[in-house]
mmCIF file of all heavy atoms in Angstrom:
data_model
loop_
_atom_site.group_PDB
_atom_site.id
_atom_site.type_symbol
_atom_site.label_atom_id
_atom_site.label_comp_id
_atom_site.label_asym_id
_atom_site.label_seq_id
_atom_site.Cartn_x
_atom_site.Cartn_y
_atom_site.Cartn_z
ATOM 1 N N LYS A 30 3.759 -7.782 6.440
ATOM 2 C CA LYS A 30 5.083 -7.740 5.805
ATOM 3 C C LYS A 30 5.242 -6.372 5.140
ATOM 4 O O LYS A 30 4.360 -5.920 4.415
ATOM 5 C CB LYS A 30 5.226 -8.857 4.785
ATOM 6 C CG LYS A 30 5.073 -10.259 5.374
ATOM 7 C CD LYS A 30 5.526 -11.349 4.419
ATOM 8 C CE LYS A 30 4.690 -11.429 3.155
ATOM 9 N NZ LYS A 30 3.311 -11.891 3.425
ATOM 10 N N VAL A 31 6.372 -5.747 5.393
ATOM 11 C CA VAL A 31 6.607 -4.379 4.926
ATOM 12 C C VAL A 31 7.953 -4.309 4.221
ATOM 13 O O VAL A 31 8.961 -4.811 4.733
ATOM 14 C CB VAL A 31 6.582 -3.380 6.102
ATOM 15 C CG1 VAL A 31 6.834 -1.957 5.605
ATOM 16 C CG2 VAL A 31 5.251 -3.458 6.845
ATOM 17 N N PHE A 32 7.951 -3.665 3.054
ATOM 18 C CA PHE A 32 9.191 -3.397 2.330
ATOM 19 C C PHE A 32 9.366 -1.896 2.223
ATOM 20 O O PHE A 32 8.489 -1.183 1.737
ATOM 21 C CB PHE A 32 9.133 -4.011 0.923
ATOM 22 C CG PHE A 32 10.359 -3.719 0.095
ATOM 23 C CD1 PHE A 32 11.460 -4.559 0.131
ATOM 24 C CD2 PHE A 32 10.409 -2.597 -0.731
ATOM 25 C CE1 PHE A 32 12.590 -4.293 -0.637
ATOM 26 C CE2 PHE A 32 11.526 -2.324 -1.502
ATOM 27 C CZ PHE A 32 12.622 -3.177 -1.456
ATOM 28 N N LEU A 33 10.513 -1.408 2.674
ATOM 29 C CA LEU A 33 10.860 0.005 2.576
ATOM 30 C C LEU A 33 12.199 0.137 1.861
ATOM 31 O O LEU A 33 13.142 -0.595 2.165
ATOM 32 C CB LEU A 33 10.980 0.643 3.962
ATOM 33 C CG LEU A 33 9.713 0.843 4.795
ATOM 34 C CD1 LEU A 33 10.086 1.387 6.168
ATOM 35 C CD2 LEU A 33 8.752 1.785 4.101
ATOM 36 N N THR A 34 12.277 1.074 0.939
ATOM 37 C CA THR A 34 13.546 1.367 0.308
ATOM 38 C C THR A 34 13.658 2.854 0.033
ATOM 39 O O THR A 34 12.645 3.559 -0.055
ATOM 40 C CB THR A 34 13.720 0.575 -1.007
ATOM 41 O OG1 THR A 34 15.050 0.782 -1.505
ATOM 42 C CG2 THR A 34 12.732 1.029 -2.068
ATOM 43 N N MET A 35 14.890 3.307 -0.074
ATOM 44 C CA MET A 35 15.146 4.722 -0.337
ATOM 45 C C MET A 35 16.477 4.844 -1.075
ATOM 46 O O MET A 35 17.418 4.120 -0.790
ATOM 47 C CB MET A 35 15.212 5.508 0.974
ATOM 48 C CG MET A 35 15.656 6.947 0.821
ATOM 49 S SD MET A 35 14.707 7.877 -0.385
ATOM 50 C CE MET A 35 13.073 7.727 0.301
ATOM 51 N N ALA A 36 16.508 5.743 -2.034
ATOM 52 C CA ALA A 36 17.747 6.012 -2.761
ATOM 53 C C ALA A 36 18.570 7.029 -1.979
ATOM 54 O O ALA A 36 18.081 8.104 -1.647
ATOM 55 C CB ALA A 36 17.425 6.549 -4.158
ATOM 56 N N ASP A 37 19.798 6.702 -1.697
ATOM 57 C CA ASP A 37 20.630 7.597 -0.889
ATOM 58 C C ASP A 37 20.990 8.892 -1.602
ATOM 59 O O ASP A 37 21.486 9.821 -0.990
ATOM 60 C CB ASP A 37 21.924 6.885 -0.467
ATOM 61 C CG ASP A 37 21.689 5.956 0.708
ATOM 62 O OD1 ASP A 37 20.609 6.040 1.309
ATOM 63 O OD2 ASP A 37 22.574 5.154 1.019
ATOM 64 N N LYS A 38 20.756 8.950 -2.925
ATOM 65 C CA LYS A 38 21.030 10.179 -3.657
ATOM 66 C C LYS A 38 19.937 11.225 -3.474
ATOM 67 O O LYS A 38 20.044 12.335 -3.971
ATOM 68 C CB LYS A 38 21.209 9.867 -5.141
ATOM 69 C CG LYS A 38 22.426 9.012 -5.444
ATOM 70 C CD LYS A 38 22.527 8.715 -6.933
ATOM 71 C CE LYS A 38 23.722 7.820 -7.233
ATOM 72 N NZ LYS A 38 23.818 7.486 -8.676
ATOM 73 N N THR A 39 18.876 10.864 -2.783
ATOM 74 C CA THR A 39 17.770 11.784 -2.592
ATOM 75 C C THR A 39 17.974 12.536 -1.285
ATOM 76 O O THR A 39 17.825 11.978 -0.205
ATOM 77 C CB THR A 39 16.426 11.030 -2.554
ATOM 78 O OG1 THR A 39 16.337 10.206 -3.715
ATOM 79 C CG2 THR A 39 15.255 11.989 -2.525
ATOM 80 N N GLU A 40 18.311 13.789 -1.369
ATOM 81 C CA GLU A 40 18.671 14.558 -0.179
ATOM 82 C C GLU A 40 17.514 14.689 0.796
ATOM 83 O O GLU A 40 16.384 14.964 0.419
ATOM 84 C CB GLU A 40 19.122 15.962 -0.591
ATOM 85 C CG GLU A 40 20.508 16.001 -1.191
ATOM 86 C CD GLU A 40 20.974 17.423 -1.384
ATOM 87 O OE1 GLU A 40 20.495 18.321 -0.646
ATOM 88 O OE2 GLU A 40 21.814 17.645 -2.261
ATOM 89 N N GLY A 41 17.811 14.461 2.066
ATOM 90 C CA GLY A 41 16.848 14.712 3.123
ATOM 91 C C GLY A 41 15.801 13.639 3.319
ATOM 92 O O GLY A 41 15.014 13.718 4.261
ATOM 93 N N MET A 42 15.768 12.618 2.461
ATOM 94 C CA MET A 42 14.722 11.604 2.574
ATOM 95 C C MET A 42 15.236 10.298 3.165
ATOM 96 O O MET A 42 14.463 9.500 3.680
ATOM 97 C CB MET A 42 14.085 11.343 1.202
ATOM 98 C CG MET A 42 13.378 12.564 0.634
ATOM 99 S SD MET A 42 12.706 12.318 -1.024
ATOM 100 C CE MET A 42 11.351 11.180 -0.677
ATOM 101 N N GLN A 43 16.550 10.080 3.097
ATOM 102 C CA GLN A 43 17.095 8.834 3.626
ATOM 103 C C GLN A 43 16.792 8.674 5.114
ATOM 104 O O GLN A 43 16.383 7.608 5.584
ATOM 105 C CB GLN A 43 18.611 8.764 3.414
ATOM 106 C CG GLN A 43 19.048 9.057 1.989
ATOM 107 C CD GLN A 43 19.472 10.502 1.825
ATOM 108 O OE1 GLN A 43 18.736 11.405 2.192
ATOM 109 N NE2 GLN A 43 20.654 10.726 1.276
ATOM 110 N N GLU A 44 16.998 9.767 5.857
ATOM 111 C CA GLU A 44 16.800 9.708 7.302
ATOM 112 C C GLU A 44 15.343 9.421 7.650
ATOM 113 O O GLU A 44 15.046 8.722 8.623
ATOM 114 C CB GLU A 44 17.245 11.015 7.949
ATOM 115 C CG GLU A 44 18.734 11.305 7.837
ATOM 116 C CD GLU A 44 19.116 11.913 6.505
ATOM 117 O OE1 GLU A 44 18.199 12.175 5.685
ATOM 118 O OE2 GLU A 44 20.321 12.126 6.272
ATOM 119 N N SER A 45 14.423 9.965 6.866
ATOM 120 C CA SER A 45 12.995 9.758 7.134
ATOM 121 C C SER A 45 12.626 8.289 7.033
ATOM 122 O O SER A 45 11.924 7.740 7.889
ATOM 123 C CB SER A 45 12.142 10.573 6.154
ATOM 124 O OG SER A 45 12.345 11.947 6.326
ATOM 125 N N VAL A 46 13.095 7.644 5.974
ATOM 126 C CA VAL A 46 12.760 6.234 5.775
ATOM 127 C C VAL A 46 13.483 5.359 6.794
ATOM 128 O O VAL A 46 12.920 4.379 7.305
ATOM 129 C CB VAL A 46 13.083 5.808 4.335
ATOM 130 C CG1 VAL A 46 12.759 4.335 4.129
ATOM 131 C CG2 VAL A 46 12.281 6.653 3.351
ATOM 132 N N ALA A 47 14.710 5.701 7.123
ATOM 133 C CA ALA A 47 15.440 4.946 8.140
ATOM 134 C C ALA A 47 14.729 5.026 9.487
ATOM 135 O O ALA A 47 14.641 4.034 10.229
ATOM 136 C CB ALA A 47 16.870 5.472 8.259
ATOM 137 N N HIS A 48 14.200 6.199 9.814
ATOM 138 C CA HIS A 48 13.463 6.367 11.066
ATOM 139 C C HIS A 48 12.207 5.507 11.073
ATOM 140 O O HIS A 48 11.879 4.861 12.079
ATOM 141 C CB HIS A 48 13.103 7.841 11.259
ATOM 142 C CG HIS A 48 12.484 8.129 12.598
ATOM 143 N ND1 HIS A 48 11.151 7.901 12.880
ATOM 144 C CD2 HIS A 48 13.015 8.651 13.740
ATOM 145 C CE1 HIS A 48 10.885 8.245 14.111
ATOM 146 N NE2 HIS A 48 11.996 8.713 14.664
ATOM 147 N N MET A 49 11.485 5.485 9.953
ATOM 148 C CA MET A 49 10.278 4.667 9.873
ATOM 149 C C MET A 49 10.618 3.190 9.996
ATOM 150 O O MET A 49 9.892 2.422 10.641
ATOM 151 C CB MET A 49 9.543 4.952 8.561
ATOM 152 C CG MET A 49 8.236 4.175 8.383
ATOM 153 S SD MET A 49 7.016 4.441 9.711
ATOM 154 C CE MET A 49 6.700 6.211 9.530
ATOM 155 N N ALA A 50 11.729 2.777 9.410
ATOM 156 C CA ALA A 50 12.150 1.384 9.515
ATOM 157 C C ALA A 50 12.413 1.008 10.973
ATOM 158 O O ALA A 50 12.043 -0.089 11.421
ATOM 159 C CB ALA A 50 13.401 1.154 8.667
ATOM 160 N N THR A 51 13.023 1.911 11.707
ATOM 161 C CA THR A 51 13.268 1.662 13.134
ATOM 162 C C THR A 51 11.966 1.513 13.889
ATOM 163 O O THR A 51 11.830 0.642 14.768
ATOM 164 C CB THR A 51 14.094 2.807 13.739
ATOM 165 O OG1 THR A 51 15.354 2.894 13.051
ATOM 166 C CG2 THR A 51 14.347 2.586 15.219
ATOM 167 N N LEU A 52 10.974 2.321 13.547
ATOM 168 C CA LEU A 52 9.677 2.263 14.203
ATOM 169 C C LEU A 52 8.961 0.937 13.943
ATOM 170 O O LEU A 52 8.284 0.395 14.822
ATOM 171 C CB LEU A 52 8.803 3.425 13.711
ATOM 172 C CG LEU A 52 7.377 3.509 14.250
ATOM 173 C CD1 LEU A 52 7.376 3.817 15.746
ATOM 174 C CD2 LEU A 52 6.594 4.579 13.499
ATOM 175 N N LEU A 53 9.147 0.392 12.737
ATOM 176 C CA LEU A 53 8.366 -0.781 12.327
ATOM 177 C C LEU A 53 9.078 -2.111 12.543
ATOM 178 O O LEU A 53 8.427 -3.167 12.485
ATOM 179 C CB LEU A 53 8.004 -0.654 10.842
ATOM 180 C CG LEU A 53 7.102 0.518 10.449
ATOM 181 C CD1 LEU A 53 6.963 0.561 8.927
ATOM 182 C CD2 LEU A 53 5.733 0.398 11.107
ATOM 183 N N LYS A 54 10.376 -2.093 12.792
ATOM 184 C CA LYS A 54 11.139 -3.336 12.750
ATOM 185 C C LYS A 54 10.709 -4.353 13.803
ATOM 186 O O LYS A 54 10.807 -5.565 13.560
ATOM 187 C CB LYS A 54 12.634 -3.047 12.879
ATOM 188 C CG LYS A 54 13.059 -2.506 14.240
ATOM 189 C CD LYS A 54 14.577 -2.305 14.284
ATOM 190 C CE LYS A 54 15.032 -1.811 15.648
ATOM 191 N NZ LYS A 54 16.511 -1.642 15.698
ATOM 192 N N ASP A 55 10.224 -3.910 14.940
ATOM 193 C CA ASP A 55 9.829 -4.838 15.988
ATOM 194 C C ASP A 55 8.347 -5.211 15.932
ATOM 195 O O ASP A 55 7.907 -6.079 16.684
ATOM 196 C CB ASP A 55 10.141 -4.238 17.371
ATOM 197 C CG ASP A 55 11.631 -4.071 17.607
ATOM 198 O OD1 ASP A 55 12.414 -4.877 17.060
ATOM 199 O OD2 ASP A 55 12.022 -3.115 18.308
ATOM 200 N N GLN A 56 7.599 -4.565 15.058
ATOM 201 C CA GLN A 56 6.158 -4.803 15.011
ATOM 202 C C GLN A 56 5.701 -5.488 13.729
ATOM 203 O O GLN A 56 4.561 -5.929 13.631
ATOM 204 C CB GLN A 56 5.409 -3.473 15.162
ATOM 205 C CG GLN A 56 5.766 -2.723 16.437
ATOM 206 C CD GLN A 56 4.774 -1.621 16.741
ATOM 207 O OE1 GLN A 56 3.575 -1.849 16.792
ATOM 208 N NE2 GLN A 56 5.280 -0.422 16.929
ATOM 209 N N THR A 57 6.574 -5.565 12.732
ATOM 210 C CA THR A 57 6.231 -6.176 11.457
ATOM 211 C C THR A 57 7.367 -7.082 11.006
ATOM 212 O O THR A 57 8.444 -7.081 11.594
ATOM 213 C CB THR A 57 6.021 -5.099 10.367
ATOM 214 O OG1 THR A 57 7.276 -4.472 10.089
ATOM 215 C CG2 THR A 57 5.007 -4.051 10.801
ATOM 216 N N THR A 58 7.099 -7.845 9.956
ATOM 217 C CA THR A 58 8.187 -8.507 9.244
ATOM 218 C C THR A 58 8.709 -7.491 8.244
ATOM 219 O O THR A 58 8.105 -7.275 7.191
ATOM 220 C CB THR A 58 7.686 -9.778 8.534
ATOM 221 O OG1 THR A 58 7.155 -10.685 9.503
ATOM 222 C CG2 THR A 58 8.832 -10.458 7.793
ATOM 223 N N LEU A 59 9.791 -6.844 8.613
ATOM 224 C CA LEU A 59 10.281 -5.692 7.853
ATOM 225 C C LEU A 59 11.437 -6.078 6.949
ATOM 226 O O LEU A 59 12.382 -6.745 7.378
ATOM 227 C CB LEU A 59 10.730 -4.590 8.813
ATOM 228 C CG LEU A 59 11.354 -3.350 8.159
ATOM 229 C CD1 LEU A 59 10.304 -2.579 7.361
ATOM 230 C CD2 LEU A 59 12.002 -2.459 9.213
ATOM 231 N N PHE A 60 11.364 -5.626 5.713
ATOM 232 C CA PHE A 60 12.467 -5.711 4.769
ATOM 233 C C PHE A 60 12.874 -4.271 4.436
ATOM 234 O O PHE A 60 12.198 -3.594 3.661
ATOM 235 C CB PHE A 60 12.046 -6.453 3.500
ATOM 236 C CG PHE A 60 11.618 -7.872 3.733
ATOM 237 C CD1 PHE A 60 10.302 -8.160 4.061
ATOM 238 C CD2 PHE A 60 12.517 -8.914 3.631
ATOM 239 C CE1 PHE A 60 9.893 -9.474 4.273
ATOM 240 C CE2 PHE A 60 12.123 -10.225 3.846
ATOM 241 C CZ PHE A 60 10.807 -10.511 4.172
ATOM 242 N N TYR A 61 13.923 -3.817 5.074
ATOM 243 C CA TYR A 61 14.432 -2.465 4.820
ATOM 244 C C TYR A 61 15.658 -2.601 3.951
ATOM 245 O O TYR A 61 16.665 -3.187 4.354
ATOM 246 C CB TYR A 61 14.756 -1.771 6.139
ATOM 247 C CG TYR A 61 15.393 -0.408 5.981
ATOM 248 C CD1 TYR A 61 14.867 0.531 5.089
ATOM 249 C CD2 TYR A 61 16.521 -0.069 6.716
ATOM 250 C CE1 TYR A 61 15.454 1.778 4.937
ATOM 251 C CE2 TYR A 61 17.115 1.180 6.580
ATOM 252 C CZ TYR A 61 16.572 2.098 5.683
ATOM 253 O OH TYR A 61 17.167 3.333 5.525
ATOM 254 N N TYR A 62 15.569 -2.072 2.733
ATOM 255 C CA TYR A 62 16.592 -2.340 1.735
ATOM 256 C C TYR A 62 16.989 -1.045 1.033
ATOM 257 O O TYR A 62 16.497 -0.735 -0.051
ATOM 258 C CB TYR A 62 16.056 -3.355 0.719
ATOM 259 C CG TYR A 62 17.111 -3.983 -0.141
ATOM 260 C CD1 TYR A 62 17.829 -5.079 0.299
ATOM 261 C CD2 TYR A 62 17.388 -3.476 -1.409
ATOM 262 C CE1 TYR A 62 18.801 -5.666 -0.500
ATOM 263 C CE2 TYR A 62 18.355 -4.049 -2.228
ATOM 264 C CZ TYR A 62 19.057 -5.148 -1.765
ATOM 265 O OH TYR A 62 20.006 -5.719 -2.559
ATOM 266 N N PRO A 63 17.867 -0.232 1.636
ATOM 267 C CA PRO A 63 18.324 0.990 0.963
ATOM 268 C C PRO A 63 19.019 0.660 -0.357
ATOM 269 O O PRO A 63 19.706 -0.358 -0.477
ATOM 270 C CB PRO A 63 19.309 1.591 1.970
ATOM 271 C CG PRO A 63 18.955 0.973 3.278
ATOM 272 C CD PRO A 63 18.473 -0.399 2.965
ATOM 273 N N MET A 64 18.835 1.535 -1.344
ATOM 274 C CA MET A 64 19.445 1.329 -2.667
ATOM 275 C C MET A 64 20.265 2.567 -3.025
ATOM 276 O O MET A 64 19.801 3.450 -3.763
ATOM 277 C CB MET A 64 18.354 1.047 -3.699
ATOM 278 C CG MET A 64 17.500 -0.167 -3.345
ATOM 279 S SD MET A 64 16.234 -0.573 -4.585
ATOM 280 C CE MET A 64 17.277 -1.284 -5.868
ATOM 281 N N PRO A 65 21.491 2.680 -2.506
ATOM 282 C CA PRO A 65 22.297 3.886 -2.696
ATOM 283 C C PRO A 65 22.703 4.132 -4.139
ATOM 284 O O PRO A 65 23.096 5.239 -4.502
ATOM 285 C CB PRO A 65 23.522 3.634 -1.814
ATOM 286 C CG PRO A 65 23.606 2.147 -1.683
ATOM 287 C CD PRO A 65 22.189 1.673 -1.674
ATOM 288 N N GLU A 66 22.602 3.116 -4.974
ATOM 289 C CA GLU A 66 22.986 3.288 -6.377
ATOM 290 C C GLU A 66 21.900 3.966 -7.195
ATOM 291 O O GLU A 66 22.119 4.296 -8.372
ATOM 292 C CB GLU A 66 23.301 1.911 -6.999
ATOM 293 C CG GLU A 66 22.103 1.004 -7.225
ATOM 294 C CD GLU A 66 21.666 0.240 -5.983
ATOM 295 O OE1 GLU A 66 22.125 0.585 -4.873
ATOM 296 O OE2 GLU A 66 20.863 -0.697 -6.120
ATOM 297 N N GLU A 67 20.723 4.186 -6.620
ATOM 298 C CA GLU A 67 19.596 4.754 -7.343
ATOM 299 C C GLU A 67 19.292 6.179 -6.884
ATOM 300 O O GLU A 67 19.702 6.608 -5.806
ATOM 301 C CB GLU A 67 18.345 3.893 -7.138
ATOM 302 C CG GLU A 67 18.494 2.442 -7.572
ATOM 303 C CD GLU A 67 18.633 2.280 -9.063
ATOM 304 O OE1 GLU A 67 18.375 3.257 -9.811
ATOM 305 O OE2 GLU A 67 19.023 1.184 -9.514
ATOM 306 N N SER A 68 18.529 6.901 -7.708
ATOM 307 C CA SER A 68 17.976 8.202 -7.343
ATOM 308 C C SER A 68 16.470 8.052 -7.194
ATOM 309 O O SER A 68 15.897 7.005 -7.527
ATOM 310 C CB SER A 68 18.293 9.246 -8.422
ATOM 311 O OG SER A 68 17.549 8.968 -9.604
ATOM 312 N N HIS A 69 15.817 9.093 -6.725
ATOM 313 C CA HIS A 69 14.366 9.057 -6.576
ATOM 314 C C HIS A 69 13.687 8.785 -7.923
ATOM 315 O O HIS A 69 12.633 8.144 -7.981
ATOM 316 C CB HIS A 69 13.877 10.384 -5.996
ATOM 317 C CG HIS A 69 12.432 10.400 -5.629
ATOM 318 N ND1 HIS A 69 11.913 9.660 -4.587
ATOM 319 C CD2 HIS A 69 11.379 11.069 -6.171
ATOM 320 C CE1 HIS A 69 10.608 9.871 -4.488
ATOM 321 N NE2 HIS A 69 10.260 10.722 -5.448
#
């Protein structure tokens, strides 16, 4: 089971975590939960 989150206010890092979520979504029980209201 994997939980990934990223604050959308953090420049250049959102795409990295989104890419990793795509890589893991079919191989794990993935909880990808972006939190745009937060900063790093």
Side-chain angles (χ1 to χ4, degrees):
K30 300 193 296 292
V31 180
F32 177 89
L33 290 176
T34 187
M35 172 53 59
D37 281 348
K38 295 179 182 178
T39 307
E40 285 188 26
M42 297 176 70
Q43 310 97 308
E44 295 82 4
S45 296
V46 179
H48 187 279
M49 182 57 62
T51 300
L52 178 67
L53 296 175
K54 67 178 182 179
D55 294 329
Q56 303 195 53
T57 68
T58 300
L59 176 68
F60 299 87
Y61 175 47
Y62 195 84
M64 302 182 74
E66 71 278 13
E67 302 292 347
S68 70
H69 188 68

